[in-house]
Amino acid sequence: MTDFSVPQRMSLGAFFIYFLKYFRLVLNATIIFSAYEIFKSEDGIVENLQKIAILFGVTVCVALALASLAFFKLKFHVDGGNLIYRHNMIGRVTTTIPLTHIHTLRTRQGMFYRILSLRGVLFDTLADKGEEIELILSEADWQSLLKRIELQERPQPAVADMPPPPVRSHTSYRKFSNTDLVLDALCQNHLKGMAVLGGFVTVFFNNMLNLYENLFDIIADYIESHFAHLAMSVAGIAMIMASAYVVSLVLWLGKVLLRYYDLSLTYDSKTLTFSHGLFSRMSSRFDCDKICTVWVKRNYPERRFGLCTLAMKQALNSSAQKEEDNLKIYGHDCSDFFLGRWLGQEYGQEQEITAAKSGKGVITHSLLPDLLVSAVATAALCYLGMYSWIILPVIYMSAGIPKGILTMRHSHISLRESYVIIGKGRFAEIKNYVKYDNVEVVRLTRTPVSRLTGRVSMSLSTSGSTFTIRSLRHEEAMRIYELLLYKSTRRTTTSTTRAIDTQADDEAVSAGCSTGISGRG
């Protein structure tokens, strides 16, 4: 175990991990080049094996060279509450991260990591714009570094020579069911599985196209010779669609299980640490105070089986590349547990101050993309003289009406004593919970049509999310707008009690809305 007080390199096991990463990177290009050479070559098996052996040796040498440059150029240590590491293959770059400014601490353990008892550690900060630097540490070094970070997070004493007061916090453990994970994954929008299938097929055929220019002709001839009889029957088409659906569903379940299998949570009064993954174990540690939005989704199957999908969104970094790192929890409805820890155990008993629901204008806004697609398709069909096929864009447009109605039903905003609920969603009901402390921008938008309809749109932004509630009544929107500005301003300038009644809010609106968070009418 080390205290990270002097600059040091990672272990030889970390060098092996670096080698494997660069070997896999170079091997992808080598395989494509080898296959291309073999397909176009007329040499025998022995000559082709010799070519493959030479290319394999070159791949190993290149991977060793790249791994050496990356490994021996990287040194790191902790000095004065800062993590300092020097890196870069060609030049030398020194990066300093204050331990107190680490937004999220993530780790990952692939198969070889676990064999070598290593752990890859990544640090997320709001200002991080470049490529992530991964420190590959032994379990003992990881625990030592974690203790240094936790020590730095403790409140500092008023006297410099006095050690920080000990923080005693009871640590608890919670494990999530893999059965609920699979069941909730099946309750998701199954088009996600089709998207996974489409991405897999696209990557596969893009790679194959580089290998052999006549590949698609061969595939087309094969399909025509073996499946031509299916194309003429409705049953054949249905069988192909059902097969594609099953494959997409299996791929989607595989993706969820690979990432979220055996999800567990270790938590205390301040931090949450998630661990998950089937073959590669990943973890994410962050402070509860750094959560800006709790996102809760329930569609009809989830409500029927007592499930939900939940995500705790944090602030995006300066390049807005961390949104995909938000952990999603599929399974049993545990929203009360997380909301209770974040908003307080009495959050469900807080009275509603005011609320507003969206009007029919949301239906029109939801139908605009469908209207555009249908109009283009109709024009193309008319140009080609296929008038009988115009029924298809009409059906597509009509199918969008229920989607617009559901969007209108789910769209609303509700102000409670200490937080805001923003409702969204189409086929699923989505609720976003936001503390007033996290509200950074409130904006009202009026269009030329607003004078006729009396409806406006409101946008509410945090450091990690932006929400737009459309087609609100002007009077209700103005009241919510002013209350949001007042409450957000007051909560950033005082640490006194957070419980106030509606009458006190109404009397203080005119004084509070003139300062604090910026708004635009």
Side-chain angles (χ1 to χ4, degrees):
M1 184 179 293
T2 180
D3 60 355
F4 301 98
S5 59
V6 296
Q8 59 183 304
R9 291 191 178 96
M10 294 176 289
S11 65
L12 290 179
F15 176 79
F16 181 70
I17 298 295
Y18 268 77
F19 166 73
L20 290 178
K21 288 183 177 181
Y22 286 107
F23 179 78
R24 184 178 62 179
L25 179 66
V26 180
L27 186 63
N28 291 333
T30 303
I31 291 176
I32 294 175
F33 180 75
S34 301
Y36 176 75
E37 287 294 325
I38 291 174
F39 273 120
K40 78 172 187 178
S41 174
E42 297 181 357
D43 296 333
I45 297 177
V46 177
E47 289 81 2
N48 287 330
L49 289 177
Q50 290 177 348
K51 290 181 180 179
I52 293 175
I54 293 172
L55 288 172
F56 183 81
V58 171
T59 300
V60 172
C61 293
V62 173
L64 282 172
L66 293 175
S68 299
L69 286 173
F71 178 81
F72 290 105
K73 283 284 188 178
L74 195 151
K75 285 187 175 182
F76 64 96
H77 70 287
V78 177
D79 182 22
N82 298 319
L83 174 66
I84 302 172
Y85 52 91
R86 300 176 179 88
H87 57 100
N88 206 12
M89 286 190 177
I90 307 301
R92 171 160 289 192
V93 178
T94 301
T95 302
T96 302
I97 301 178
L99 297 180
T100 55
H101 289 184
I102 294 175
H103 198 67
T104 306
L105 191 60
R106 295 184 291 121
T107 71
R108 57 189 175 198
Q109 283 185 298
M111 181 177 65
F112 288 102
Y113 288 79
R114 299 171 76 175
I115 292 175
L116 298 172
S117 298
L118 298 174
R119 185 186 295 263
V121 184
L122 301 102
F123 307 88
D124 293 341
T125 64
L126 295 183
D128 185 16
K129 296 176 64 177
E131 184 180 357
E132 293 176 322
I133 300 298
E134 179 185 18
L135 297 181
I136 302 175
L137 306 176
S138 65
E139 192 65 27
D141 287 345
W142 156 245
Q143 294 298 331
S144 177
L145 178 61
L146 187 59
K147 288 181 180 178
R148 290 293 301 267
I149 294 174
E150 291 175 344
L151 180 65
Q152 197 68 29
E153 291 174 342
R154 295 179 184 178
Q156 299 300 315
V159 181
D161 296 334
M162 184 183 300
V167 177
R168 296 182 179 179
S169 180
H170 177 68
T171 300
S172 301
Y173 179 81
R174 181 183 181 118
K175 186 174 176 60
F176 297 86
S177 168
N178 292 319
T179 303
D180 290 340
L181 171 67
V182 173
L183 184 59
D184 198 14
L186 290 172
C187 292
Q188 303 301 310
N189 182 356
H190 290 183
L191 292 178
K192 292 181 179 179
M194 298 298 289
V196 174
L197 175 62
F200 173 79
V201 172
T202 300
V203 172
F204 176 78
F205 279 104
N206 283 341
N207 290 332
M208 291 297 103
L209 186 61
N210 295 327
L211 299 180
Y212 194 34
E213 59 183 3
N214 296 324
L215 177 65
F216 284 103
D217 294 335
I218 296 174
I219 294 175
D221 293 340
Y222 180 84
I223 293 176
E224 183 178 359
S225 60
H226 290 78
F227 298 98
H229 63 284
L230 294 178
M232 301 303 295
S233 66
V234 176
I237 295 174
M239 189 177 72
I240 293 174
M241 294 179 64
S243 300
Y245 172 76
V246 171
V247 171
S248 68
L249 195 60
V250 171
L251 287 174
W252 165 245
L253 286 176
K255 178 181 177 181
V256 172
L257 285 172
L258 283 174
R259 182 168 185 181
Y260 296 114
Y261 182 82
D262 200 20
L263 176 65
S264 62
L265 168 65
T266 303
Y267 61 96
D268 54 29
S269 60
K270 186 178 180 182
T271 60
L272 300 172
T273 303
F274 291 94
S275 180
H276 54 93
L278 181 57
F279 299 114
S280 297
R281 295 295 294 176
M282 295 170 282
S283 71
S284 179
R285 176 188 180 277
F286 53 87
D287 197 320
C288 292
D289 294 336
K290 293 179 180 178
I291 300 172
C292 63
T293 305
V294 175
W295 177 90
V296 182
K297 179 189 74 67
R298 301 181 184 91
N299 56 26
Y300 176 76
E302 287 177 319
R303 291 196 300 269
R304 176 66 177 80
F305 295 106
L307 307 170
C308 82
T309 307
L310 186 141
M312 285 161 286
K313 298 184 178 181
Q314 302 177 71
L316 301 179
N317 69 338
S318 57
S319 56
Q321 293 178 346
K322 299 298 181 185
E323 187 172 7
E324 294 301 322
D325 292 334
N326 290 318
L327 176 72
K328 283 190 176 180
I329 300 173
Y330 300 99
H332 181 72
D333 192 345
C334 56
S335 58
D336 284 340
F337 171 77
F338 289 102
L339 290 172
R341 289 186 55 80
W342 189 53
L343 299 174
Q345 297 299 327
E346 306 297 328
Y347 83 97
Q349 301 178 10
E350 292 189 7
Q351 294 185 355
E352 184 178 81
I353 299 174
T354 186
K357 292 183 63 67
S358 296
K360 297 179 180 179
V362 174
I363 301 177
T364 304
H365 185 272
S366 176
L367 288 176
L368 285 178
D370 298 336
L371 179 62
L372 179 61
V373 172
S374 300
V376 172
T378 301
L381 292 173
C382 291
Y383 177 79
L384 297 174
M386 303 171 63
Y387 300 105
S388 59
W389 290 91
I390 295 178
I391 187 65
L392 293 179
V394 172
I395 294 175
Y396 175 79
M397 183 67 188
S398 301
I401 296 177
K403 177 185 66 177
I405 295 175
L406 290 174
T407 303
M408 179 191 69
R409 290 182 58 185
H410 292 150
S411 180
H412 69 277
I413 181 170
S414 173
L415 272 63
R416 303 295 174 94
E417 296 289 346
S418 60
Y419 62 94
V420 185
I421 303 176
I422 302 164
K424 298 182 71 68
R426 294 181 178 176
F427 299 103
E429 181 184 16
I430 299 174
K431 290 185 177 181
N432 297 277
Y433 295 82
V434 178
K435 289 182 180 180
Y436 291 111
D437 296 345
N438 296 324
V439 177
E440 297 188 352
V441 177
V442 183
R443 180 180 295 111
L444 283 180
T445 303
R446 301 179 181 87
T447 65
V449 185
S450 297
R451 294 185 177 181
L452 300 176
T453 61
R455 299 276 180 170
V456 296
S457 297
M458 173 180 292
S459 295
L460 185 149
S461 297
T462 68
S463 57
S465 306
T466 298
F467 310 99
T468 301
I469 308 96
R470 305 183 187 278
S471 189
L472 297 175
R473 294 185 183 276
H474 181 265
E475 297 80 7
E476 295 176 345
M478 282 301 302
R479 173 177 169 80
I480 293 174
Y481 172 79
E482 292 171 345
L483 283 172
L484 280 173
L485 293 181
Y486 166 67
K487 279 185 164 290
S488 301
T489 302
R490 197 189 70 165
R491 288 172 179 275
T492 56
T493 56
T494 183
S495 58
T496 58
T497 181
R498 294 174 180 262
I500 56 172
D501 55 24
T502 306
Q503 181 178 0
D505 280 336
D506 294 338
E507 295 173 353
V509 162
S510 59
C513 66
S514 61
T515 60
I517 296 179
S518 61
R520 184 177 72 185

